[in-house]
Structure formats: structure tokens, C-alpha cells
Amino acid sequence: MRKPTRQGVLDAAKSIAAILPPTPLLPVEIGGVQLHVKAESLQPVGAFKIRGGWWRLSNLSDEEKARGVVAVSSGNHAQGVAWAARRLGIDAAIVMPRNAPKVKLEATRALGAEIVLYDRPGEDRDEVAAREVEARGATLVHAFGDPWVIEGQGSAGVDIAAQLGRAPSRLVVCCGGGGLAAGLALACPESAIHVVEPHGWDMVGQAIAAGEIVRVGDNPPPTICDALQPDATKQVNLDVLQGRAEPGVTVTDEEVRAAQRFAFSNLNLVVEPGGAAALAAALASKVPLDEDSVIMVTGGNTEAASFAETIAAN
């Protein structure tokens, strides 16, 4: 399998810069420290996933483009792939959980993608995707375990270094399968990488600690971070992060909600739960911070009613 590289990240950044403006780097004060938030929630699809979707699809051969793509996603990767597919004239089918947020299902359909629903829990989404790939002769665009996707996500780190005028000291990263964390590790080789996952879903942090893939337990706790629930990371992600990332940390639902409220009040950002995990860790003093730290706010695709309820709570 092809391995993601720093040169690939730099190439992805050039390609993405040609079609998308950089998202803002917003100053913020946390615990008396002035630092920055990278507002990837302001991407056209509301999440950083547009980066990996674009870089993967634009690297398909003409024959592969003609056969279409299949992706698996709870919503943000779905929209990133669907956005890129529409722009490049590629048919896209997205395997999504039936209980994905309605706003994400509707946005993916609106971008022209076909949605293939599966039951979560109950069905193995990778098996569903494999059947679709075989039936269609399509290319699988994995949400995090794909070298081009990793490189595309890492382009955010190239943006950050250019906007700061220097490499960040550390990047605090919302983490599902580890695609963004791995990409940022390649993009910013001098920066510490802190992966932040929901409590009970820290498959990347556990894998980094163990040096091998760790799968989620039989009865994992519920989490409001629907975007951060892969069963396990992939070897390609672990290979990049092993010996490179700091020990992982986890956040609770209440810490995530507090981060959503903070982002709304202090940054004028609407942030979905999974997109607020890194900020939650920073606010809860679970990661060290200095003036060259950057916190990734990765997505803003949240249901209006649940967001309003979170914001209204004290």
C-alpha cells in the first residue's frame, strides 16, 4: 500500500489552495494563555473532511473516475467526498448509519451523492461498503485509512504554519480514526500532536500506547460525538502516529458541551460535538498549552435543536 508522505501533504495543500480559501486562525485565550483555534468548521461542507475528499478523488485515474467511488461516513467525510465528486463529475455512493444526524444525511443528498444506509450498531459498515465496491467496480475512499485522504487532511497544517508564520508548538486534534492527526503529524514534523477522543472511544490513543491496533469493547459508552466513533484505527494511521504523537486524552460529553458553549460565546462558532473535542480537552486542562498552540475545531454540522439545547444549558 502507498504510504502518505510530507511531500504528498505539500502537494495536497497546493491543490486545495487552488479551489478553497484557507479557514481562519482565530485568537483565543484559555487559562490565561493566548493561542489560536483553526476553524475548519467554516469549510464549505462544514468540516475539514473536504480536504481529504478532494485530494483523494483528484488523484483517481480517468478509468477510476468513470467507475465512481464508495465512501463510509457518519456525515462529514460523506459531504467532503460528495462535494469533490460533484465538482469532478464522479458518481459517489456513501454508506451512512441510519441514525446519523438528519442534517448530515440531508446535506449529503443535496450534494448529489447516493446514500446506502446501514444499522449502527448491528451491521459492519466496512462489510456493507465492500459489497458496494464489488457490485459497482468502484474505488473505496476510506474516511481515515487512505494515504491520499491523510495527506489531504494534513494540508490544514500547511495552512496553519503559513498563517502563524512559524510551525505551531503543538496541535490539539479531535480524533476519530486518526486521519487528521496523521496528516498534521506529517505536515508539521516539529509540532507535538495531541489526539483527543470521546471517553470509551479512544481507539487511537490506546493503539499508540499499545503499539498495535486496539478495537472498541463490546459495550462502549454512548457519546454525543457521532463523528468520532470508529471501531479502530488503521495500520497506515498508526504507522505515522506511533512514536510521534503524545499520549492520547479523552473527554466526556459534558466537557464537550462546555466547549460548544465556549466556541459559541467566545468565537461566534457553531461547533458539532465531535468538532469540539480538542477544545474540550484544552478547556479542561488535559493538554499543555502555550502561545504557539493551535486547537483544531473540526466540524460544525449539528442539529439545530440539540445545539440550541446545549447552548441554553448552564
Side-chain angles (χ1 to χ4, degrees):
M1 183 182 184
R2 176 180 176 272
K3 293 185 177 181
T5 66
R6 185 164 192 271
Q7 185 58 53
V9 172
L10 297 175
D11 292 343
K14 289 180 183 177
S15 177
I16 291 161
I19 61 165
L20 294 171
T23 54
L25 199 63
L26 302 174
V28 67
E29 181 177 327
I30 296 177
V33 178
Q34 293 283 346
L35 55 138
H36 289 87
V37 160
K38 178 65 165 168
E40 284 291 288
S41 54
L42 297 179
Q43 289 285 9
V45 300
F48 74 97
K49 295 284 193 175
I50 196 170
R51 296 176 179 273
W54 172 260
W55 186 236
R56 182 66 190 100
L57 268 62
S58 60
N59 274 278
L60 295 173
S61 68
D62 289 343
E63 182 182 347
E64 288 170 329
K65 288 176 180 176
R67 292 202 303 265
V69 296
V70 171
V72 179
S73 172
S74 66
N76 289 338
H77 178 61
Q79 291 172 73
V81 170
W83 187 92
R86 184 171 70 172
R87 188 171 177 114
L88 293 166
I90 299 170
D91 290 336
I94 316 291
V95 177
M96 298 182 70
R98 205 174 298 276
N99 62 354
K102 185 179 178 183
V103 65
K104 295 184 178 183
L105 289 165
E106 290 179 349
T108 303
R109 284 195 185 96
L111 287 165
E114 176 187 348
I115 295 179
V116 179
L117 296 173
Y118 74 96
D119 292 320
R120 178 180 69 178
E123 290 185 275
D124 185 317
R125 66 182 193 170
D126 290 333
E127 289 180 4
V128 176
R131 289 198 299 268
E132 294 296 325
V133 166
E134 185 175 359
R136 300 164 187 263
T139 297
L140 177 67
V141 181
H142 197 276
F144 54 86
D146 179 291
W148 287 276
V149 168
I150 290 169
E151 290 170 349
Q153 318 303 29
S155 66
V158 178
D159 277 6
I160 290 167
Q163 290 169 305
L164 271 183
R166 58 194 178 277
S169 59
R170 67 191 71 255
L171 290 156
V172 187
V173 190
C174 307
C175 189
L180 178 59
L184 293 173
L186 292 170
C188 302
E190 301 169 5
S191 307
I193 304 294
H194 297 269
V195 298
V196 182
E197 299 170 281
H199 175 66
W201 290 89
D202 53 329
M203 301 303 99
V204 174
Q206 289 190 44
I208 291 168
E212 61 184 16
I213 303 296
V214 178
R215 299 197 69 82
V216 72
D218 289 339
N219 294 295
T223 174
I224 59 172
C225 299
D226 65 277
L228 307 181
Q229 290 183 272
D231 293 341
T233 188
K234 296 289 187 183
Q235 193 64 46
V236 64
N237 306 88
L238 182 57
D239 287 346
V240 173
L241 293 170
Q242 186 71 55
R244 175 69 183 82
E246 304 297 311
V249 299
T250 65
V251 288
T252 66
D253 282 357
E254 280 312 303
E255 288 167 338
V256 167
R257 290 189 179 99
Q260 289 179 281
R261 289 191 286 271
F262 179 92
F264 186 71
S265 299
N266 294 273
L267 297 164
N268 292 316
L269 292 178
V270 173
V271 184
E272 66 184 277
L279 182 58
L283 291 169
S285 302
K286 293 186 175 183
V287 292
L289 299 172
D290 59 58
E291 65 179 10
D292 288 333
S293 300
V294 175
I295 299 166
M296 304 300 297
V297 168
T298 52
N301 295 313
T302 181
E303 300 279 9
S306 62
F307 184 74
E309 185 177 338
T310 294
I311 297 306
N314 293 319

